[in-house]
Amino acid sequence: MFELVVATNNAHKVKEYQEMFSGYDIKFYSMKDLGIVCNPEENGKTYEENSLIKASALAKLTKLPVIADDSGLNVVALNNFPGIYSSRYADSYGGNKVANLELIKKLKPYEDKSAFFACLITLMNVEEKPVQFKGICRGKILDKPVGEGGFGYDPIFYSEEAKIAFGEASPEIKNKYSHRAKAVSQLIEYLKNKRLIELVNEK
Ligand code: IMP
């Protein structure tokens, strides 16, 4: 069984990873599961840098393979804002309910509503060097929030590929088209090619 630590204390995130790898002989742990405390400052300028900062800090504290992810929403007309500041932008308005409306307002003067979610996963303690995987999910910002599903910026994001707003998409649809799903599928391919994991149970 391949064991991997996720640079998070969020049990939900670990459960999501475990689900995305369903059928594979892999076991995910949170830092909390292993009693690891690690909270580096995310002062990078890109998803690549921030994800690497988190993975490197954790990789020093365990011999197990580790992954760290960093993700966010990029609005093209706003020079990819909020981008790596997605979570901080939402916090500055006390959460996404208000932040989503503010983002729509900010984008009002622009005709171009295109946006994309990005997810960057860094894997360490497998190769000598870190390995990174990037997933992108393209779409546009809606005029008003819709649906009750998902989290964060999902209610204001319409996915071009899924042809539905993420706020209205089922978890199955979101897990097929999301930026995270795309980065994870690259990670799965990589680990399979390295013969570190294999499918033991067909879904
Ligand atoms: P994190 O790097 O995974 O913690 O994500 C940073 C922030 O980006 C989150 O707090 C959300 O606001 C936003 N975000 C990332 N992924 C998604 C998504 O799939 N849907 C909606 N918002 C997201």
Side-chain angles (χ1 to χ4, degrees):
M1 177 74 71
F2 187 66
E3 295 180 304
L4 220 158
V5 194
V6 187
T8 184
N9 285 316
N10 184 339
H12 181 75
K13 200 168 213 174
V14 174
K15 189 166 163 262
E16 260 183 25
Y17 269 107
Q18 197 71 57
E19 281 166 5
M20 286 190 277
F21 277 79
S22 110
Y24 287 94
D25 54 347
I26 187 165
K27 169 91 181 116
F28 289 91
Y29 299 99
S30 72
M31 300 194 292
K32 210 166 150 196
D33 289 335
L34 303 182
I36 298 173
V37 179
C38 180
N39 204 3
E41 196 188 343
E42 291 178 43
N43 53 8
K45 292 199 166 53
T46 60
Y47 295 110
E48 281 82 353
E49 284 174 16
N50 278 339
S51 161
L52 184 60
I53 288 169
K54 288 186 267 188
S56 313
L58 176 57
K60 289 196 186 105
L61 302 174
T62 175
K63 284 200 165 65
L64 285 176
V66 308
I67 52 170
D69 62 27
D70 199 49
S71 60
L73 174 71
N74 310 270
V75 180
V76 175
L78 305 178
N79 291 322
N80 292 342
F81 183 83
I84 58 164
Y85 304 104
S86 292
S87 150
R88 285 165 269 187
Y89 181 68
D91 287 348
S92 74
Y93 288 106
N96 272 97
K97 229 184 163 93
V98 179
N100 289 356
L101 296 174
E102 288 297 321
L103 197 56
I104 289 171
K105 219 193 278 171
K106 215 175 164 69
L107 195 57
K108 225 179 186 129
Y110 301 90
E111 203 173 310
D112 180 9
K113 305 287 181 191
S114 56
F116 60 96
F117 277 116
C119 175
L120 204 297
I121 299 176
T122 301
L123 171 71
M124 288 185 72
N125 287 357
V126 171
E127 306 250 13
E128 236 172 85
K129 287 190 177 162
V131 192
Q132 296 196 304
F133 309 91
K134 189 173 194 173
I136 297 275
C137 174
R138 294 190 186 279
K140 63 176 186 188
I141 301 298
L142 298 165
D143 294 337
K144 58 176 195 313
V146 296
E148 302 292 326
F151 72 101
Y153 298 94
D154 280 343
I156 59 167
F157 184 80
Y158 177 89
S159 162
E160 242 163 46
E161 258 184 278
K163 301 208 176 340
I164 190 170
F166 270 174
E168 294 179 321
S170 64
E172 289 74 24
I173 291 287
K174 199 178 161 201
N175 287 340
K176 183 166 173 199
Y177 294 103
S178 82
H179 46 310
R180 201 166 295 104
K182 288 177 182 168
V184 164
S185 83
Q186 291 170 37
L187 173 62
I188 291 177
E189 280 313 301
Y190 172 87
L191 295 173
K192 261 169 47 178
N193 285 338
K194 289 258 160 204
R195 305 206 179 284
L196 293 168
I197 61 168
E198 63 175 347
L199 203 51
V200 284
N201 271 316
E202 289 290 346
K203 268 186 245 176

